[in-house]
Amino acid sequence: MTSTALETVPATLRDPMLPRAAVIDAIKQETHDVGTFTLRLDEEPEPYAFRPGQFNMLYLPGFGEAAISISSDAEERDTIKHSIRFVGTVTMGLSRLRAGTEIGIRGPYGTAWPIEQARGRDLVLVGGGIGLAPLRPVIHHVLRHRDDFRKVTLLYGARSPGDLLYAESFEAWKQAGIDVHVTVDRSEDSWKGVVGVVPLLFYRIRIEPKETVIFTCGPEVMMHFVAYEALARRVPKESVWLSLERNMKCAIGVCGHCQYGPLFVCRDGPVISFARMEPYFNREEY
Amino acid sequence: MLPRVSATVAIPKPDLQQVFDNLRGSRLRLIGPTVVDGAIALGEIERTEQLPIGWSDEQQPGRYRAKHGAEKTYFAFNVGPHSWRRFLHPPRLTLFSAKANGKMTIEHDGEEPPRYAFIGVRACDLQAIAVQDRVLMNGSYRDPQYVARRSNAFILAVNCTKASSTCFCTSMQSGPRVTGAFDLAATELPDVFVLDVGSEAGSQVLEGTSWAPANAFDVGRATEAVQKAERQITREVRTDHLGSLLFEHLESPLWKEVSGRCLGCGNCTMVCPTCFCTTVVDTIDLSGRSERIRVWDSCYTTDFSHVHGGNIRPSLRARYRQWVTHKFAAWREQFGVSGCVGCGRCITWCPVGIDITEVLKAFRSTGVK
Ligand SMILES: Cc1cc2nc3c(=O)[nH]c(=O)nc-3n(C[C@H](O)[C@H](O)[C@H](O)COP(=O)(O)OP(=O)(O)OC[C@H]3O[C@@H](n4cnc5c(N)ncnc54)[C@H](O)[C@@H]3O)c2cc1C
Ligand code: SF4
Ligand code: SF4
Ligand code: FES
């Protein structure tokens, strides 16, 4: 007997919390505490496709799951890459794995960078620390379709020169027509570059406010000041896009952990416009 | 012959056992109110004698007392510490198990979700189920366990004929009269149950009872009984623009004041019938087999908002604000309904008796609106 008030559902609804297996093809040590994992997924149950800005939940049995952005080229179909900073239970566990091992993966989840909005205009990418990882698929896109954009600028910073992610690619990105500016919070003797926090890099570039779209990912205070600098230069709030971070347990809008005001960051974010986020963003302990 | 859907019938009170038998005959597990450790809890029952016959309750901020009297009433109490989400969205559920030794195998526990008949669902709780439907069943992702349990559940709702001092369903437009989707809705009178038939299944379980179309006298008495409950409700929440009022005062000093007595115990989230937050616990045994277990979680725990480098909400003030703004502001934007149905549980079961209706009043009186 079934309550007629409701539709009947198929007995085998696929459980969205079930990961699928992925093989670690290669691990590249990027910095002392970040490694890039190349993962290969079976075609089953379906071929994998994602949009720049989205993330996966990586699962290590016995340890748990971690939300990690996809940092590879969305047009490259057979493998995906994740740059992972080893900070706690799951990520430390991952750091001990070798190529050939299988891990669990679910995704892709979340919103993507609105690359369409930047087409034919200037694009400014602003990253802090590991926050460059979710921006890298945008850089890959730009490299493939450079003519779709006018000026493309990358403002990037990390704590120290040794913490700079993908540093070996900066030269190639410059060659390909991206204006790259790098800064560090703390310098070392060998460092010839800029010292200071990321938002200060805005003073090194010129912005045409109505024709500029900004994508930023990094610590929340950094993004707060990025938005501040952008707005001070009269870039509309609708053209400033943030990638947010919150504790995540499900990534599908049912565990409640990632709430940020009315948003579920896993579902309505991580990429969201400053215009939408402003009433709630960077409020004390919110 | 059986009554048609939307008919109103009456059955002698002892005939409720026949309804129970019919439900059990269709292999449903009956869950209903029953007295456990001096409180009216929800548990598995088979016979009407297991209902809290003769029991009623007294509820006040931070206080609950169930007491036994002489009258042979079946449903003369209000909602207790348990709600139906305990069965639709269980406190602990194994998601899957995995084995990894280079290769990874994932096994889904193929156990059939239980099929339930819920006995005595109050109006506020029926609305709470409808709220959780939106969260766990009607969104872009559907929780397969919830969907299975919910779709198979038979609902015998009960109209309240008394209200507790903590009830405010009238403000949240959820009660005391049952309005949502049910199979049967009962109003208890001294001699009979007046039943609204809400579905084909609701009609079928009357097989073998001596049901008869309700006469005008019974219908009149039933209406009057629910109106009496409604008159007993004193607590009130003004809901117009409530969400924007709270969001506009995110950094108000009032939060510190209203959360001043809060212990951060999370009781309010555990008793709330709409709260849905969960976390996942990972276990591993000596053979290397690990399990992922989903358990209820609360936004009052410090771990809840943990990210590398610390918690987003270290202070109780911030965690209290999270709970209130989620229920009364964010929820409406997320799911198109209020996250509160006015059941009053969080008021009763708060160890220090914080009263959400008073907290919201405080914001109303400082607010611009
Ligand atoms: C959308 C999104 C994208 C991310 N992309 C990357 C990325 O590309 N590279 C990367 O290195 N990190 C990324 N992170 C951060 C990463 O998820 C955390 O560092 C990771 O969850 C830490 O897990 P842990 O078990 O190692 O740490 P622990 O401190 O042991 O964490 C315990 C639990 O807390 C939660 N948690 C801890 N830190 C974070 C955090 N910073 N964000 C969210 N939840 C957290 C997790 O639920 C975790 O299971 C991303 C986070 C989000 C939300
Ligand atoms: S917030 Fe309190 S009154 Fe409202 S539904 Fe939850 S427990 Fe009941
Ligand atoms: S809140 Fe209303 S419906 Fe719920 S128990 Fe109280 S009177 Fe009944
Ligand atoms: S991570 Fe569970 S709701 Fe967003």
Side-chain angles (χ1 to χ4, degrees):
Chain A
M1 184 188 319
T2 308
S3 171
T4 48
L6 292 156
E7 55 173 318
T8 339
V9 286
T12 52
L13 190 65
R14 192 183 141 66
D15 189 338
M17 288 295 279
L18 274 189
R20 58 199 271 196
V23 189
I24 303 174
D25 244 12
I27 303 171
K28 175 172 178 271
Q29 195 71 29
E30 300 276 0
T31 70
H32 71 103
D33 66 351
V34 179
T36 297
F37 289 57
T38 305
L39 302 179
R40 184 174 298 278
L41 280 84
D42 287 338
E43 288 287 302
E44 301 298 323
E46 65 257 306
Y48 189 91
F50 75 96
R51 289 175 299 141
Q54 291 190 292
F55 66 96
N56 284 318
M57 294 300 277
L58 300 187
Y59 169 58
L60 191 54
F63 290 80
E65 286 187 322
I68 306 289
S69 311
I70 308 164
S71 59
S72 49
D73 185 346
E75 292 178 50
E76 202 175 283
R77 279 300 156 85
D78 5 328
T79 55
I80 50 172
K81 290 193 174 76
H82 284 294
S83 294
I84 304 171
R85 191 160 158 237
F86 311 126
V87 294
T89 317
V90 177
T91 50
M92 287 294 192
L94 289 168
S95 77
R96 286 190 280 270
L97 300 181
R98 304 225 185 94
T101 314
E102 273 186 354
I103 61 169
I105 181 171
R106 311 187 273 131
Y109 295 122
T111 51
W113 298 110
I115 291 178
E116 290 308 312
Q117 196 188 335
R119 193 154 287 154
R121 305 164 77 187
D122 293 346
L123 176 61
V124 181
L125 308 175
V126 191
I130 189 75
L132 186 55
L135 288 168
R136 195 164 70 157
V138 182
I139 297 173
H140 282 299
H141 181 94
V142 169
L143 297 177
R144 280 184 186 268
H145 309 277
R146 180 65 190 87
D147 296 341
D148 286 359
F149 307 89
R150 300 195 326 181
K151 222 164 35 169
V152 178
T153 310
L154 170 66
L155 309 180
Y156 178 52
R159 270 171 308 175
S160 74
D163 289 311
L164 290 167
L165 210 54
Y166 316 135
E168 79 286 352
S169 304
F170 295 168
E171 213 28 66
W173 295 349
K174 284 181 189 163
Q175 297 294 325
I178 299 177
D179 187 18
V180 180
H181 296 262
V182 178
T183 181
V184 295
D185 297 347
R186 274 186 291 111
S187 87
E188 285 155 20
D189 289 346
S190 56
W191 179 250
K192 302 277 184 296
V194 183
V195 177
V197 296
V198 178
L200 291 179
L201 291 176
F202 270 90
Y203 294 87
R204 303 182 158 257
I205 61 171
R206 290 189 81 77
I207 279 185
E208 228 182 287
K210 293 277 168 292
E211 286 307 317
T212 299
V213 177
I214 298 176
F215 298 169
T216 181
C217 182
E220 215 162 284
V221 272
M222 182 205 90
M223 293 195 284
H224 175 78
F225 285 107
V226 167
Y228 176 87
E229 296 295 347
L231 267 48
R233 287 162 180 75
R234 300 187 187 288
V235 177
K237 290 172 189 173
E238 291 74 19
S239 304
V240 179
W241 294 81
L242 321 167
S243 179
L244 303 172
E245 191 188 37
R246 275 293 184 269
N247 184 304
M248 290 188 183
K249 293 296 176 192
C250 73
I252 53 177
V254 297
C255 80
H257 278 259
C258 67
Q259 288 182 77
Y260 199 154
L263 270 73
F264 288 105
V265 172
C266 67
R267 188 188 69 189
D268 309 311
V271 176
I272 187 119
S273 77
F274 184 69
R276 173 81 175 95
M277 208 51 215
E278 193 183 17
Y280 321 100
F281 187 61
N282 208 37
R283 297 300 172 117
E284 193 199 355
E285 291 189 34
Y286 199 52
Chain B
M1 211 190 63
L2 289 168
R4 53 182 176 74
V5 175
S6 84
T8 302
V9 303
I11 60 169
K13 280 161 84 168
D15 273 15
L16 188 59
Q17 185 59 50
Q18 183 62 48
V19 174
F20 279 22
D21 293 343
N22 291 346
L23 288 165
R24 295 187 57 230
S26 9
R27 290 182 297 112
L28 295 183
R29 287 166 62 182
L30 269 60
I31 307 293
T34 187
V35 178
V36 180
D37 295 335
I40 299 167
L42 295 178
E44 190 146 359
I45 55 174
E46 295 182 355
R47 305 205 45 83
T48 50
E49 297 88 81
Q50 292 168 287
L51 292 169
I53 294 176
W55 286 80
S56 62
D57 57 7
E58 242 176 56
Q59 305 196 33
Q60 258 158 50
R63 264 196 64 210
Y64 177 93
R65 203 164 73 90
K67 53 176 198 221
H68 196 260
E71 275 176 79
K72 284 239 167 287
T73 50
Y74 286 57
F75 295 105
F77 45 87
N78 295 105
V79 294
H82 290 168
S83 72
W84 307 95
R85 75 160 161 134
R86 174 170 293 273
F87 304 94
L88 294 173
H89 187 242
R92 188 182 170 89
L93 183 79
T94 302
L95 293 172
F96 59 84
S97 63
K99 226 175 151 103
N101 40 10
K103 281 248 165 278
M104 197 176 61
T105 37
I106 288 172
E107 273 170 36
H108 203 196
D109 171 13
E111 215 178 286
E112 275 279 306
R115 288 153 37 90
Y116 291 122
F118 294 154
I119 308 299
V121 180
R122 304 302 170 130
C124 56
D125 276 358
L126 193 61
Q127 171 64 12
I129 293 174
V131 169
Q132 286 213 326
D133 285 351
R134 292 187 182 226
V135 180
L136 299 164
M137 192 161 75
N138 301 340
S140 43
Y141 288 95
R142 321 205 306 167
D143 173 354
Q145 280 284 337
Y146 183 88
V147 172
R149 286 157 191 251
R150 174 69 175 104
S151 319
N152 289 323
F154 179 96
I155 291 180
L156 194 164
V158 165
N159 288 311
C160 286
T161 49
K162 74 158 269 249
S164 284
S165 89
T166 45
C167 294
F168 58 102
C169 56
T170 37
S171 293
M172 306 319 287
Q173 283 158 17
S174 66
R177 173 173 292 285
V178 166
T179 51
F182 53 79
D183 295 293
L184 281 177
T187 310
E188 181 175 12
L189 296 177
D191 46 341
V192 294
F193 287 117
V194 174
L195 297 170
D196 291 320
V197 180
S199 74
E200 212 47 69
S203 166
Q204 278 160 26
V205 294
L206 295 175
E207 182 80 61
T209 65
S210 45
W211 69 270
N215 58 39
F217 178 59
D218 290 343
V219 172
R221 283 191 301 158
T223 308
E224 167 53 28
V226 183
Q227 281 167 352
K228 185 184 107 218
E230 193 162 339
R231 283 193 301 271
Q232 287 171 0
I233 293 171
T234 51
R235 279 191 161 67
E236 198 185 353
V237 167
R238 252 184 71 197
T239 55
D240 57 295
H241 303 105
L242 183 56
S244 47
L245 175 72
L246 294 173
F247 275 150
E248 281 159 21
H249 290 82
L250 281 179
E251 286 169 317
S252 160
L254 209 48
W255 289 110
K256 187 155 182 62
E257 213 172 291
V258 296
S259 66
R261 288 187 298 141
C262 176
L263 307 172
C265 68
N267 263 15
C268 47
T269 56
M270 294 293 110
V271 295
C272 180
T274 65
C275 274
F276 57 85
C277 289
T278 55
T279 187
V280 188
V281 179
D282 293 277
T283 63
I284 189 155
D285 66 19
L286 290 171
S287 72
R289 183 172 167 277
S290 30
E291 279 192 336
R292 298 218 86 202
I293 302 164
R294 188 185 77 186
V295 294
W296 282 1
D297 202 1
S298 165
C299 53
Y300 282 90
T301 68
T302 43
D303 270 2
F304 191 83
S305 62
H306 171 87
V307 293
H308 171 64
N311 298 325
I312 304 278
R313 308 180 192 106
S315 73
L316 254 178
R317 174 189 60 85
R319 300 205 290 283
Y320 186 77
R321 176 183 60 186
Q322 173 59 27
W323 186 67
V324 175
T325 54
H326 186 211
K327 285 281 159 209
F328 294 91
W331 211 296
R332 197 168 280 284
E333 282 191 46
Q334 293 167 344
F335 304 109
V337 283
S338 164
C340 173
V341 298
C343 75
R345 284 183 178 91
C346 57
I347 307 174
T348 302
W349 297 95
C350 173
V352 293
I354 298 175
D355 179 347
I356 184 66
T357 64
E358 291 299 323
V359 169
L360 295 172
K361 264 196 202 106
F363 275 94
R364 210 39 106 170
S365 53
T366 53
V368 280
K369 286 182 183 117

